[in-house]
Amino acid sequence: MRLLIFFLLCSFNIFAQNNDKIFYVAPGGNDQSAGSIDQPLRSLNGALQKAASVKGGTVSILMRGGTYFTDKTISIGSNNNVQHLTIANYKGEKVLLSGGVKIDKSAAKKTAANIYQIDLKKAGITDYGQLQQHGHRNAVTAPLELFYKGQAMELARWPNSGFLPIGKVTNPGIKDKSVTGDQAGAVFAYSGDRPAKWKKTDQVWVSGFLANGFANDNVPVKSIDGNEITLAATTSYGVKSTDAASPFRRFFFYNIPEELDSSGEYYLDRTTGILSFYNSGDLADELFVSVCSTPIISLINSDNVTLSGLNIGYGRDMGIYAQGTKNISIKNCMVMNLGTVGIGIGKNTADKSLYKSYEELISFDKTSAFVISSCKIYNTGTGGIFMTGGDRQNLLPAGNVIDNTEIYNYARRNWVSSPAIFLGGVGNTIKNCFIHDSEGQAIMYWGNNHDISYNKIKDVVKEINDQGAVYTGRDRSSTGTRIHNNFFENLVSPRGYMVAAVYIDDGSGGIKVDS
C-alpha cells in the first residue's frame, strides 16, 4: 500500500510539472505565434489568452524588455484552471506597460522661443478626456496629461508658483452640488488685473483651498469681470475671504494659454488638438501623453497571481485595480505617472473607469491575502495605494500587507483625502514603508485591528491645515488598530498650519499609539 501511494504521488508530481507552462512576450513578437522564447507573443493580452487554455499546473508569462502600449484595461479575471499565474519581466529586463503614447521628439515643432507644439491629431490621438471638477473627497479620471523625462507637466497657470489670497466674497456659493444655475457658483474678488491679458476666460479653472484648510477644490470659472470672479459650479464648503486667522484660504488660476511661460507647463487646445509646452533646454526624446482612461491592469475575482518586475504607468486612471481577489502578490514593481491611484483594491463602480469617488473606493470587499512588497509608487494624481478587505461585521481579518514600499509625490491632482496609503476593512498591515514628499496625508485608515509599524514618514502634509500624517476620524466603531515603532521626520508645515504626526479626530478611539 505504501509503495502504491508513493507511486501515485510521484505520478501526480510528474503530471503537474508537465502541465507547467511558460509563455514569452516581446515587442517584436506575434500574438499568433506559439509563445516560445524564439517565437514570442506580442502582447500581454495575447499571452493571457494562451494561459486561459492551460489546465492545471502553473503558468508563467515572461516579458522581454520594451514598452507595451495599451489604450484599454488588461483584464486578469478568474484563473481557477491553474495553480498559479506569474507575470514577470525576463531576467531583469525593463518592461513598461504604458497607458500613454510615446511621442517622438521629431513630432514636436518649435514655434517660438522655448515653445514646442505637437499635433495630436496627426499622432492619431483624438480623445483628450475632459477637465472635471475634483478635489476634497471627489476624485475623477484625469484628462490627457503630458509627461516629460518621467515627470508630469502642469497645465499653464498663474501665478507660476504659490497662491493668491481670496478677496471680498459677494456670493459664497451653494455647497449642495446638486444645485445648478446662476446662484450655484460663488462670486469673489482678488487684487490685480492679470485676466485682462487673457483672450478667453471661459476655459479658465481655479484650484485652491476656498474655505477650509482641509478641503481643496478644482472648479471651472464662469466669468471674470475686472477683478471679480464668478465660478461655474459649487464647491465643497463655499468660498470665504482670506484673513489673518485663515491664511490657508488661497487659490491659483490654470488652463490658460497666455500663461505658458515656465518650464514644466503645457496647454492643450481641445478644438485643434495642438498641444503646446514650454521647454528651455534641448528637447529629449522622453515625451508621453496619457491615453488609457481605465486601469491599466485589473484583477477581478482573481486568485493566486504574482506580478513581478513590471513598470506600469502613463495612464489617466489607476495602474492596477483589484476586487474580490485572494492570494495576490505585487512585488518589485514601479507604478507611476498616473491620473488617479497607483494601486486600488476595493469595490468597483458601474462605469467604465472602475473608480469614481472616494466613498465608492473605500467600500469594503472580500479581498484577502493581497501583498504589495518592495515596490515604488510615485507621481500619482489621487493617492498611492487604496487597500481594503476583511469582514467588519464579524471582525474577520483580510491579512492584506503593504511591505517595504516607497511612495512619494502621490497627490498631484487632489491634495486632500489622497494619501500614500488608504487602509480600510479589518486586519491589514502597513510595515517598513518609506512615505515622503507630498502635499497630502501619508496614511488614512478606518476599520479595525490594523497594524501600522516600522514606517518612515517624512515631508508630507505640506499644504493642508488641521490634518495628520497618519489620520483617522468620525467612526467610533474603528477600534483595535495599533500604530507603533514609526519614525516621523520634518512634519512642520511651511505655512504654519496645524499638522500632527498621528491625528485621531472627531470621536474616534480605541487605538493604541506607541513608540
Side-chain angles (χ1 to χ4, degrees), residues 135-154:
H136 178 58
R137 303 188 73 172
N138 178 29
V140 297
T141 300
L144 179 145
E145 294 186 284
L146 176 64
F147 297 88
Y148 181 55
K149 291 186 176 181
Q151 300 297 319
M153 300 186 76
E154 188 173 19

Side-chain angles (χ1 to χ4, degrees), residues 104-123:
D104 192 280
K105 71 175 183 179
S106 64
K109 308 301 182 183
K110 195 170 186 178
T111 59
N114 301 322
I115 301 294
Y116 292 82
Q117 290 187 339
I118 300 169
D119 189 331
L120 293 180
K121 290 183 178 180
K122 283 187 177 180

Side-chain angles (χ1 to χ4, degrees), residues 362 364 387-390 422-426 428 444-448 450:
I362 67 174
F364 306 126
M387 175 180 279
T388 68
F422 173 92
L423 205 59
V426 181
N428 301 302
M444 299 179 73
Y445 66 96
W446 280 267
N448 304 91
H450 303 306

Side-chain angles (χ1 to χ4, degrees), residues 119-357:
D119 189 331
L120 293 180
K121 290 183 178 180
K122 283 187 177 180
I125 302 168
T126 57
D127 178 6
Y128 313 131
Q130 297 293 326
L131 275 71
Q132 301 179 71
Q133 185 176 354
H134 62 280
H136 178 58
R137 303 188 73 172
N138 178 29
V140 297
T141 300
L144 179 145
E145 294 186 284
L146 176 64
F147 297 88
Y148 181 55
K149 291 186 176 181
Q151 300 297 319
M153 300 186 76
E154 188 173 19
L155 283 168
R157 56 168 283 181
W158 185 78
N160 287 330
S161 62
F163 299 85
L164 301 166
I166 298 171
K168 182 180 178 182
V169 176
T170 55
N171 177 4
I174 298 173
K175 302 173 190 177
D176 183 353
K177 290 182 170 57
S178 66
V179 176
T180 59
D182 292 340
Q183 298 302 310
V187 181
F188 63 95
Y190 87 102
S191 178
D193 60 357
R194 187 77 173 197
K197 300 180 180 181
W198 305 338
K199 293 179 182 179
K200 294 182 178 181
T201 57
D202 59 346
Q203 299 298 314
V204 175
W205 286 61
V206 298
S207 176
F209 294 82
L210 303 180
N212 295 315
F214 55 81
N216 67 311
D217 283 285
N218 286 264
V219 191
V221 170
K222 180 179 180 180
S223 64
I224 301 177
D225 183 7
N227 68 346
E228 190 172 72
I229 303 158
T230 300
L231 299 182
T234 61
T235 60
S236 298
Y237 292 95
V239 177
K240 299 178 182 179
S241 299
T242 307
D243 55 32
S246 305
F248 44 77
R249 295 173 186 159
R250 62 204 194 280
F251 75 101
F252 63 85
F253 299 97
Y254 68 97
N255 197 43
I256 311 159
E258 291 85 2
E259 297 297 342
L260 187 59
D261 58 3
S262 180
S263 289
E265 291 186 329
Y266 74 101
Y267 176 79
L268 172 59
D269 187 319
R270 295 171 176 273
T271 301
T272 65
I274 300 298
L275 188 154
S276 304
F277 64 96
Y278 189 103
N279 182 69
S280 58
D282 294 335
L283 189 63
D285 197 17
E286 298 181 51
L287 289 158
F288 281 84
V289 291
S290 60
V291 172
C292 185
S293 59
T294 57
I296 295 172
I297 291 178
S298 73
L299 295 143
I300 298 179
N301 300 325
S302 307
D303 296 342
N304 306 314
V305 178
T306 295
L307 305 180
S308 177
L310 306 176
N311 296 338
I312 302 167
Y314 298 105
R316 300 180 188 176
D317 204 90
M318 296 185 191
I320 301 170
Y321 173 79
Q323 177 195 343
T325 64
K326 185 177 181 180
N327 193 28
I328 305 295
S329 173
I330 300 175
K331 60 182 181 179
N332 302 315
C333 291
M334 284 205 304
V335 182
M336 74 292 185
N337 292 328
L338 294 158
T340 61
V341 177
I343 302 174
I345 304 162
K347 185 179 179 181
N348 72 322
T349 64
D351 63 28
K352 66 176 184 177
S353 71
L354 302 180
Y355 175 77
K356 189 174 181 180
S357 74

Side-chain angles (χ1 to χ4, degrees), residues 162-163 209 212-216 248 250 415-416 438-441 460-467 492-495 497 499:
F163 299 85
F209 294 82
N212 295 315
F214 55 81
N216 67 311
F248 44 77
R250 62 204 194 280
W415 295 347
V416 179
S438 182
E439 287 77 13
Q441 303 97 326
V460 298
V461 205
K462 294 179 181 178
E463 293 288 352
I464 309 174
N465 185 52
D466 189 20
Q467 275 296 330
V492 179
S493 167
R495 303 180 188 277
Y497 300 153
V499 173

